[in-house]
Amino acid sequence: MRRLRRKTGKGPRLGKGRSMPTVLGIALLVGLYFSPALFERFVMQPARPYLPGAAAPPPGIGAAGSPLGHPPETTHSSAYVLQPSSDPGQPFVAYDPCRPIHYVVRPDNAPLGGEGLIHQAVEKVSAATGLQFVNDGLTSEGPSEQRKAYQSDLYGNRWAPVLIAWSTPEESPRLEGKVAGIGGSGQSAAAGRRSALVTGQVALDAPALEEIMQRPDGALLVRAVIMHELGHVVGLAHVDDPKQLMNADNTGITEFADGDRAGLALLGSGACVPEL
């Protein structure tokens, strides 16, 4: 099992504060002498990630030239379902294996030992997919249905890290009833390239899971909930087979089963997308 890398020290440093506005000013001035098509291609496209209100970071941030890890060999089980891609011609959508998946944890309302269970669950998903995760530490950001994939003010010029938050049904209404957690990721695509998952979030029902933690096997059950939601984050959907952890009504399964592992291995073999 691969060790997870923990990010330490200060976040990524940007260039000197005055250099980018100066460059953009010169570029925009020069662009006035280009045709509209050339202006868009050579001036606006490179500048757009740095403009106020940008929806995406500069492309290729943190990307390596080859996958950082490789999924393990698994059985040929078909007991899994992949989330559909927004591109009809693309069989499935996954994270770019050539860059790490950063994640942050909001600890508010966490049951005793909850943070450790999150990191264990992340490690399980990393081992099953070959995708490499980086723990960026704690955050005050809360879960939101309208969460932005790019939050430069909070996380710098990169895709926002996956958010894992201990929440409540009052804060996250989708947790009402018997739902112990919700999770998923958003897709993005560069022009002419395949779609990829870029960031996601998990909201965990802290009061319900704290109650489960009191059972003799409570820690394993709570970790299984987190693993299930992270399975959604990396691209798995619910499956009908009750023997799989990704079954919507899981009762007592605490590890990824053969079908789960087959799907996770496939999701770890996605294409590198440095254009994002």
Side-chain angles (χ1 to χ4, degrees):
M1 186 177 295
R2 293 180 175 271
R3 281 192 164 186
L4 304 183
R5 296 178 289 162
R6 184 179 180 89
K7 184 178 179 181
T8 59
K10 298 182 179 179
R13 297 182 62 186
L14 304 179
K16 294 182 179 179
R18 297 180 181 176
S19 60
M20 182 52 65
T22 301
V23 171
L24 288 178
I26 294 173
L28 291 172
L29 182 60
V30 172
L32 295 176
Y33 295 94
F34 283 77
S35 69
L38 292 176
F39 180 71
E40 170 65 23
R41 178 178 179 184
F42 293 106
V43 178
M44 289 307 300
Q45 286 187 11
R48 189 166 285 115
Y50 300 97
L51 298 177
I61 297 294
S66 59
L68 304 179
H70 299 280
E73 293 186 6
T74 67
T75 63
H76 296 289
S77 172
S78 60
Y80 63 85
V81 177
L82 303 181
Q83 295 175 14
S85 169
S86 58
D87 181 351
Q90 187 175 322
F92 66 93
V93 62
Y95 276 90
D96 180 349
C98 290
R99 69 183 92 194
I101 302 173
H102 292 260
Y103 71 99
V104 291
V105 176
R106 193 192 69 170
D108 305 35
N109 308 311
L112 184 64
E115 185 177 352
L117 295 178
I118 286 176
H119 300 317
Q120 289 178 29
V122 169
E123 188 171 336
K124 293 279 189 180
V125 175
S126 179
T129 58
L131 298 171
Q132 303 300 291
F133 288 76
V134 174
N135 175 14
D136 283 355
L138 304 180
T139 184
S140 60
E141 183 193 5
S144 170
E145 293 288 339
Q146 290 76 42
R147 185 178 189 243
K148 294 182 178 180
Y150 179 42
Q151 303 179 50
S152 59
D153 290 346
L154 190 58
Y155 298 114
N157 283 334
R158 57 169 177 152
W159 294 108
V162 170
L163 170 65
I164 306 175
W166 298 96
S167 188
T168 64
E170 291 73 26
E171 180 184 46
S172 304
R174 289 173 59 198
L175 291 175
E176 292 178 355
K178 296 182 179 181
V179 179
I182 50 178
S185 287
Q187 305 177 31
S188 185
R193 290 288 293 170
R194 61 184 294 149
S195 299
L197 302 176
V198 293
T199 189
Q201 60 181 323
V202 170
L204 302 167
D205 188 338
L209 294 177
E210 185 170 21
E211 184 176 336
I212 292 175
M213 285 281 281
Q214 308 310 313
R215 303 180 189 177
D217 57 348
L220 289 178
L221 294 173
V222 172
R223 188 183 70 181
V225 171
I226 304 170
M227 291 166 60
H228 177 105
E229 301 310 329
L230 287 174
H232 288 316
V233 167
V234 297
L236 286 180
H238 284 141
V239 66
D240 292 334
D241 187 345
K243 297 179 181 179
Q244 308 300 319
L245 183 60
M246 293 307 298
N247 179 265
D249 301 313
N250 174 37
T251 54
I253 306 297
T254 58
E255 298 285 351
F256 289 127
D258 286 351
D260 302 316
R261 292 185 177 279
L264 289 167
L266 182 58
L267 289 166
S269 65
C272 297
V273 192
E275 293 85 0
L276 287 178

